[in-house]
Each structure stands twice: as C-alpha cells, then as structure tokens.
Amino acid sequence: MLQLRTLRPKILVGGLGTRFCSRSYSSLLPQTADFTHAVIGGGVVGLAIAQEFARRTGPGASTVLLERHSAVGTETSSRNSEVIHAGIYYGADSLKTALCIPGREMLYALCEKYAIPHRRTGKWIVAQNDVQLDALQRIHDFCINEINVPVRWVGREEAARREPAVRAKKGVLESPTTGIIDSHALMLCLLGLFEEAGGTLALSSAVEAITPLGGPRVLSGAAGWELRVRDTESGQTSTITAKTIINSAGLGAVDVHNMIVPEAQHKKMYYAKGNYFSYPVSTHKINTLIYPAPEPGHGGLGTHLTLDMAGRIKFGPDVEWIDSADDLAVNTTRLPQTIEEVKKYLPGLDETQLQPDYAGIRPKLGKQAAVAHGKGFVDFVIRMEKGYEGWVNLLNIESPGLTSSLAIAEKVRRLLYP
C-alpha cells in the first residue's frame, strides 16, 4: 500500500501549511520533449487529473503537470474551508451536483485507502427566521425528492444537547455526509500517485503561449499542441509539444483560455476573495460545521463555522470582490461584519478572541454570481472546446471543486477517451 511518508517530493513547511517542491521545468526536460498529455495547473483538480491520466491511460502514454509556482496547491486549493461537501446546494441538472455527489464518495474512499486525515463531522444549516426556514425546507425537499442526498431535521432538544452554544431560532437541517479533510495531505497523496505512475512534475513552469497544430483542412490541435513554457526562477523558455492539453489552471484558467481562442471569444475572470478568522478551540467546544441558511444571489455560502483536523474553529469565508488574484492579505476591516454574521448563530462569541487567519480567492466567470442554483448561478465549465481537437477546458472551478476533484478527473479522461 502506498504510504504518504514514502512520497518523493521534499516537504517544506511555511505559510498556510505543508508545501511541496521539485525541480523546475528547464532542468527536467529537453527542449524538444513530447508528451501525450499536458495538464496545466497543479492545484487539487490538476493533480487529480494528472494522476488519473498517468495511472489509467495505458502503456506508452506520458503526462506532464505544469505548475507556474514553485510548489503545487498554493492558490485556491490551500486557501479554502477544507470541507467535503455533500452536494446539496446546486441545481439537479448542474455539473456541480453531478460531480460533487460521486466525488464526495470517491474522496472518502481515497482517504480511507491512504489514511488521509479527514473526519465526517456533519453540517448544520441553521435558520433564524421564517424566510430562512423556508430555504431549509426547499433544500430538504430537493435533497430527498431530486438528488437522493441524506438530510434530516434536528429537533430543539437534540440541538441543545449536541451544540448548546449554537442558536437556531427556527430550525436546523443536518447534512450527515459533510466532512473535513487535510487538503495538503490530499494533494501530497495525489502527487505521490502521479509520480509513482511515471508522471512528470514541472514546477516554476509558467505557460506563456499555446499554439494548436494542424493544417488548414483539419481541426486546430489535430496534430497536437505547442506550449511555450518559462522557468519562473531562471527566466529560460522552452517549447514542448503534447498530443492533448487540459486547462485546469484555476485562477489562471481564463488567461490560458484566452491564449488559444480568437479575441472575440475571450472571457473575463472575476475574483471573489474570502477572508477567514480563527478562534481558540477552548472558547467554545463545537463538533459540527455550522452554516447559515443560504441567501439568494450571494457569491458564497455565508460566513460559516468550520473546523480543521485539530479541532480549531475558523469563521469564513465572506465575499469581497477584488481586482487582483494577488490580493491575499486578510482584510481586517471585514472583521466587524464577520462578527455580526457569526453572532446570529453563535451569540456567545467572544469577539476579542478572533484573529485574522488567511484569505482565498474563488475564480468566477460572473461577478456577483450566485453560489447555488437560481438567477446568477454559473456552473462548472468542463468541455472539449468546439473547433479544436484534444483540448479539455476547465473554467469556473470553484467550490465544490476540491470535493469533486476525483470525479472531475474521471470526466476529463472520458471526454478524451470516450
């Protein structure tokens, strides 16, 4: 059995947690190297896809994973709530639902197989008024009648016994299949599976240009793809070719998309920053994730209470629309709003104990886009682009991207190999 401690990448500790390092692109590969698959983006989704191709596409295939940073998983993948979602918020016909539900079970199975730290904490969605209670009823009916995801009502007596510090004036809906995971351990496992299967990791390797190859009478990309890659440490550029490319670049995915398509088909990325604040575990002993009832048109699921594997409490993320993906400092001016939102369901909050923790950014294709189904909802985009051969494009991969990552990888493989 593969053991996490036997994986080859050197481990660095810093910032938000465990980081991984390897050699940069120019030292790994000759300038004329060719691959069957080039996966762009080394977040959790890119890692899941890369190991899927390295392990399941047969002898003779080769996969390179290109990551612009000096470590994998340094963007959205390591700056989120680390929640394993149940898949209850999205439309029945959405890709988010179709991939989150099986992805959740695949993720739990992977955690059990490779001893990835995780816990099935369950989640409470709490209502403080009749409007929010109606929202919980709609979620309940949707889960039971349409998507077959378990949920249950928690009575007042049970709620008071299990989580006495939590206020829920009108009701509590529980999602028992929700959990938490150590996202860094997950990425380390996926990276180990990828390298064990013969995959090539190219860090500090920023894709600067992509050219589809093929004559005027065939689809663009039918003869493969040419990628110009810059080593971000040395500045050296290299050119490689690949039979297929997978754009899973997260916050950079729209930039990669725009490298390939005509200007008239360019897209714009919107950045929804989420600020997180930590809270001492000794202040309140809480064992369940606590979410407010969803609000229509919000870019997130509300400022919720989550736990890490050590039991530490975190509040967030909020939704702050920003102009740059580099704006990762916690905005402490958001603290009063966080306190106001949290006190609605945790009235005994000692606000003097809240500390800025970290911030993450959700890549969105629509500003003010809703997180759940309804007006403004923007689904995952995972498709073979029309007019091109051998290009799978992944855009708007935000929550529940981590939960869905293994199912996304399987879908991408089936797009290329039906």
Side-chain angles (χ1 to χ4, degrees):
M1 177 184 294
L2 177 70
Q3 298 294 323
L4 293 180
R5 65 178 181 272
T6 68
L7 302 185
R8 288 179 289 159
K10 180 180 177 183
I11 301 176
L12 300 178
V13 178
L16 294 174
T18 303
R19 302 292 175 85
F20 323 108
C21 75
S22 183
R23 293 169 291 171
S24 62
Y25 175 80
S26 60
S27 66
L28 276 170
L29 305 168
Q31 217 167 353
T32 57
D34 293 324
F35 294 90
T36 311
H37 317 107
V39 180
I40 305 168
V44 66
V45 172
L47 285 162
I49 292 169
Q51 63 86 33
E52 177 79 8
F53 279 95
R55 296 170 65 205
R56 304 189 188 280
T57 50
S62 55
T63 302
V64 61
L65 176 59
L66 300 165
E67 168 54 49
R68 60 183 173 177
H69 296 294
S70 60
V72 299
T74 62
E75 294 183 351
T76 306
S77 297
S78 62
R79 295 172 174 270
N80 58 70
S81 299
E82 297 188 300
V83 171
I84 300 176
H85 290 285
I88 65 178
Y89 290 110
Y90 320 106
D93 297 327
S94 70
L95 269 181
K96 287 189 174 185
T97 296
L99 295 171
C100 183
I101 294 173
R104 178 193 71 214
E105 296 309 310
M106 295 167 74
L107 192 53
Y108 276 131
L110 188 79
C111 288
E112 293 290 344
K113 184 174 182 178
Y114 295 117
I116 300 168
H118 71 290
R119 184 154 65 93
R120 296 186 188 235
T121 57
K123 174 175 74 177
W124 285 6
I125 313 172
V126 297
Q128 312 299 345
N129 55 49
D130 290 335
V131 173
Q132 292 182 347
L133 183 60
D134 287 343
L136 295 197
Q137 186 66 57
R138 287 192 296 272
I139 293 172
H140 173 275
D141 295 346
F142 175 66
C143 290
I144 299 302
N145 300 327
E146 297 189 53
I147 61 173
N148 194 32
V149 170
V151 290
R152 60 180 290 269
W153 294 106
V154 177
R156 288 183 180 274
E157 183 178 323
E158 180 186 351
R161 183 179 71 255
R162 288 175 53 187
E163 300 291 357
V166 175
R167 172 195 286 163
K169 292 180 179 180
K170 287 294 182 176
V172 176
L173 186 66
E174 183 172 32
S175 165
T177 57
T178 299
I180 56 175
I181 186 171
D182 183 334
S183 63
H184 302 283
L186 169 62
M187 289 187 284
L188 182 58
C189 177
L190 294 173
L191 179 57
L193 292 171
F194 173 62
E195 292 198 322
E196 186 178 71
T200 299
L201 173 64
L203 296 175
S204 302
S205 300
V207 176
E208 292 195 326
I210 303 174
T211 304
L213 305 177
R217 297 186 181 182
V218 298
L219 286 176
S220 294
W225 296 81
E226 183 180 270
L227 298 87
R228 188 174 77 236
V229 183
R230 176 175 56 85
D231 185 318
T232 59
E233 296 178 356
S234 70
Q236 179 182 346
T237 59
S238 303
T239 301
I240 64 167
T241 57
K243 181 179 179 182
T244 63
I245 58 169
I246 297 95
N247 174 21
S248 61
L251 292 172
V254 165
D255 292 335
V256 172
H257 168 90
N258 291 347
M259 290 178 191
I260 301 171
V261 301
E263 187 173 354
Q265 297 175 26
H266 281 193
K267 295 183 180 293
K268 179 175 173 59
M269 178 75 79
Y270 297 92
Y271 305 110
K273 180 178 177 179
N275 299 281
Y276 290 84
F277 296 87
S278 62
Y279 194 59
V281 66
S282 58
T283 308
H284 284 100
K285 180 60 177 175
I286 294 177
N287 297 301
T288 311
L289 310 187
I290 310 296
Y291 281 57
E295 299 286 347
H298 281 205
L301 292 175
T303 300
H304 46 263
L305 182 159
T306 57
L307 307 167
D308 63 16
M309 292 306 302
R312 188 174 63 109
I313 294 173
K314 299 177 290 183
F315 294 113
D318 57 7
V319 178
E320 178 187 1
W321 295 98
I322 58 175
D323 296 324
S324 170
D326 297 323
D327 182 2
L328 288 170
V330 176
N331 185 349
T332 56
T333 67
R334 311 282 291 189
L335 180 57
Q337 180 181 344
T338 296
I339 292 170
E340 180 183 354
E341 293 299 315
V342 170
K343 279 195 168 183
K344 293 176 181 178
Y345 59 80
L346 197 68
L349 176 78
D350 182 355
E351 56 193 70
T352 65
Q353 297 297 308
L354 281 172
Q355 297 292 327
D357 199 343
Y358 61 95
I361 299 175
R362 312 168 186 88
K364 290 181 177 282
L365 288 178
K367 193 163 188 178
Q368 308 298 335
V371 70
H373 59 279
K375 185 177 179 181
F377 172 71
V378 182
D379 203 359
F380 289 159
V381 175
I382 304 172
R383 66 192 180 204
M384 298 280 292
E385 289 290 348
K386 292 182 179 178
Y388 298 89
E389 184 77 22
W391 172 25
V392 182
N393 205 13
L394 292 88
L395 305 172
N396 206 63
I397 308 299
E398 49 159 346
S399 182
L402 186 151
T403 306
S404 307
S405 57
L406 297 174
I408 290 173
E410 189 176 81
K411 178 177 177 63
V412 170
R413 177 173 56 83
R414 288 176 175 171
L415 284 173
L416 284 172
Y417 302 101

